């Protein structure tokens, strides 16, 4: 991914740091400057989820563990000082996620974790999904969205969908037995069953091209607000930290449980504008796939994990409710702007190459 434009002192100093040679005197001095800046910068943010500077810095720090950044040495990925900076930013972000998750959870009547079967865990998660009363972007897309709003919708989703499945895949080596097999089964579908043209990220890229958008990875990072980056950063936080393996499974479970019907509505919204199967295939594929995945994710993945490790129930629920909270915040942002005839993006959309 190309290095985006900085959004404040933390991201600006980070990009300056990454231009140095890892391990050099200049690089070490730059990391120390960044560390001193990150501590008060993150701590003083009144709303870290909506903080453009912090979320962009985190997004690019995480990107070192994915496809990397153009012109940046791969040696930076595990440079100890940079990992320390990432942790300084992660801590207040996780606190904010836990606060948002607690609000989204409401009153959950949960039996003692040690007595929960995998089916009982799935029932709790299905109950959370059914009780979600947040704003519905899918209904707006199906009935009201303009062509420009459809493009904005795809741009927001592209930040995750073009790397689809990767944040959840970090959990594979952290699980064993039934939950591990369940995760691999879900991820195999996401990656196209061994056929690159069937990978869900490839299907989404085709949808973007159908609307004249740039489908290259990270093309629209500069145009989306902090909350869009935070939604992806949350997954990376959960996936890259073994202690949060329960959270990443809960996130995936609720993601699958709340996906099938919205994707049906998304497809209908694009068909309303005259787009055919080449554009709607991504959404249509998820209507069927996620109806199956939600059962596997709820019962075998999340439920199987809690059966094997009952102490992880709280983290499974944290991951699920945090996903709902951040998705609700992003949905509110989109609809508040669209219903007032405004753009939901922070910058003009660059023309596709």
């Amino acid at each position: 991914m190309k290095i985006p434009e900085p959004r404040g002192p933390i991201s600006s100093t980070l990009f300056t740091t990454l231009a140095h040679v890892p391990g050099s005197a200049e690089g070490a001095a730059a990391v120390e400057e960044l560390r001193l800046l990150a501590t008060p910068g993150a701590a003083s943010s009144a709303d870290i989820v909506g903080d453009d500077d912090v979320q962009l810095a985190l997004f690019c720090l995480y990107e070192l563990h994915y496809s990397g950044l153009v012109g940046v040495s791969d040696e930076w990925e595990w440079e100890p000082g940079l990992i320390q900076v990432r942790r300084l930013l992660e801590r207040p972000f996780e606190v904010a996620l836990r606060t948002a998750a607690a609000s989204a959870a409401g009153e959950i009547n949960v039996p003692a974790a040690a007595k929960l079967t995998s089916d009982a865990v799935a029932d709790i998660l299905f109950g959370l999904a059914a009780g979600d009363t947040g704003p519905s972007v899918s209904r707006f897309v199906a009935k009201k969205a303009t062509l420009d709003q459809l493009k904005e919708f795809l741009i927001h989703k592209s930040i995750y969908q073009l790397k689809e499945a990767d944040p959840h895949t970090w959990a594979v080596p952290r699980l064993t037995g039934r939950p591990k097999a369940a995760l691999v089964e879900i991820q195999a579908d996401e990656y196209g069953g061994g056929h690159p043209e069937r990978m869900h990220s490839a299907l989404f890229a085709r949808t973007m091209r159908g609307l004249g958008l740039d489908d290259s990875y990270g093309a629209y990072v500069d145009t989306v607000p902090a909350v869009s980056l935070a939604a992806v950063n949350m997954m990376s936080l959960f996936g890259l930290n073994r202690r949060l393996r329960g959270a990443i499974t809960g996130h995936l479970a609720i993601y699958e449980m709340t996906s099938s019907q919205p994707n049906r509505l998304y497809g209908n919204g694009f068909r309303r504008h005259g787009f055919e199967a080449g554009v709607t295939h991504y959404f249509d594929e998820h209507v069927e796939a996620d109806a199956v995945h939600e059962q596997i994710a709820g019962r075998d993945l999340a439920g199987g994990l809690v059966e094997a490790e009952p102490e992880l129930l709280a983290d499974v629920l944290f991951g699920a409710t945090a996903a709902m909270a951040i998705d609700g915040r992003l949905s509110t942002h989109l609809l508040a702007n669209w219903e007032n005839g405004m753009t939901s993006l922070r910058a003009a959309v660059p023309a596709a190459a």
Side-chain angles (χ1 to χ4, degrees):
M1 188 184 85
K2 293 180 180 178
I3 294 180
E5 291 295 320
R7 301 189 187 183
I10 298 176
S11 53
S12 179
T13 305
L14 170 63
F15 299 153
T16 299
T17 300
L18 294 175
H20 292 297
V21 176
S24 66
E26 296 84 357
V31 168
E32 178 61 14
E33 180 184 356
L34 180 62
R35 185 186 67 80
L36 294 174
L37 186 63
T39 305
S44 65
S45 179
D47 175 20
I48 196 169
V49 172
D51 189 312
D52 276 300
D53 192 28
V54 171
Q55 292 301 330
L56 180 63
L58 263 178
F59 187 85
C60 291
L61 285 167
Y62 286 136
E63 195 56 39
L64 297 175
H65 299 288
Y66 290 103
S67 296
L69 298 167
V70 173
V72 174
S73 170
D74 287 341
E75 293 293 326
W76 277 116
E77 180 183 6
W78 293 109
E79 200 283 325
L82 211 57
I83 295 295
Q84 183 184 20
V85 168
R86 195 190 86 195
R87 287 174 57 80
L88 288 171
L89 298 177
E90 281 181 334
R91 287 168 186 159
F93 181 44
E94 183 179 340
V95 170
L97 290 175
R98 290 189 180 277
T99 300
S103 298
E107 295 294 329
I108 305 177
N109 184 18
V110 182
K115 299 179 181 178
L116 283 179
T117 64
S118 60
D119 285 345
V121 173
D123 288 344
I124 293 169
L125 292 170
F126 277 115
L128 280 174
D132 184 9
T133 58
S136 176
V137 172
S138 60
R139 286 196 293 269
F140 186 93
V141 167
K143 298 179 178 180
K144 298 180 180 180
T146 65
L147 180 59
D148 284 342
Q149 288 166 345
L150 291 183
K151 291 180 179 180
E152 288 191 15
F153 168 70
L154 292 179
I155 286 169
H156 284 284
K157 285 182 70 68
S158 72
I159 306 304
Y160 166 58
Q161 302 298 165
L162 292 179
K163 68 167 30 155
E164 187 176 24
D166 289 351
H168 295 119
T169 300
W170 292 117
V172 172
R174 284 118 192 251
L175 304 176
T176 59
R178 182 183 176 191
K180 184 169 191 167
L183 180 56
V184 170
E185 182 177 358
I186 294 170
Q187 298 302 80
D189 283 346
E190 300 292 336
Y191 291 122
H195 301 277
E197 72 281 1
R198 297 180 190 171
M199 292 175 65
H200 289 182
S201 57
L203 298 181
F204 188 82
R206 186 168 68 175
T207 297
M208 295 186 74
R209 292 194 300 273
L211 272 74
L213 295 172
D214 188 346
D215 68 336
S216 58
Y217 182 67
Y220 294 108
V221 168
D222 282 327
T223 69
V224 300
V227 65
S228 293
L229 300 178
V232 184
N233 287 340
M234 170 176 57
M235 288 182 264
S236 295
L237 169 67
F238 294 166
L240 284 167
N241 286 277
R242 184 182 182 278
R243 65 183 176 83
L244 294 173
R245 62 193 181 281
I248 194 64
T249 62
H251 183 286
L252 179 56
I254 208 71
Y255 193 86
E256 299 290 351
M257 290 174 177
T258 56
S259 176
S260 184
Q261 180 60 18
N263 274 297
R264 186 187 304 278
L265 294 174
Y266 293 142
N268 290 343
F270 281 79
R271 278 184 283 271
R272 180 169 57 83
H273 281 270
F275 293 104
E276 298 182 351
V279 166
T280 65
H281 186 188
Y282 170 84
F283 303 110
D284 299 338
E285 170 76 10
H286 281 75
V287 172
E288 295 187 13
D290 291 351
V292 176
H293 289 173
E294 68 179 19
Q295 297 295 330
I296 301 171
R299 302 183 192 284
D300 298 316
L301 175 57
L305 180 62
V306 173
E307 275 196 357
E309 300 182 74
E311 69 276 11
L312 294 183
L313 173 63
D315 277 344
V316 169
L317 296 178
F318 164 48
T321 50
M324 293 169 61
I326 300 304
D327 181 69
R329 178 163 173 173
L330 177 56
S331 297
T332 297
H333 170 80
L334 294 176
L335 295 178
N337 282 282
W338 290 348
E339 289 173 347
N340 287 288
M342 299 168 61
T343 179
S344 63
L345 302 174
R346 65 183 301 273
V349 178

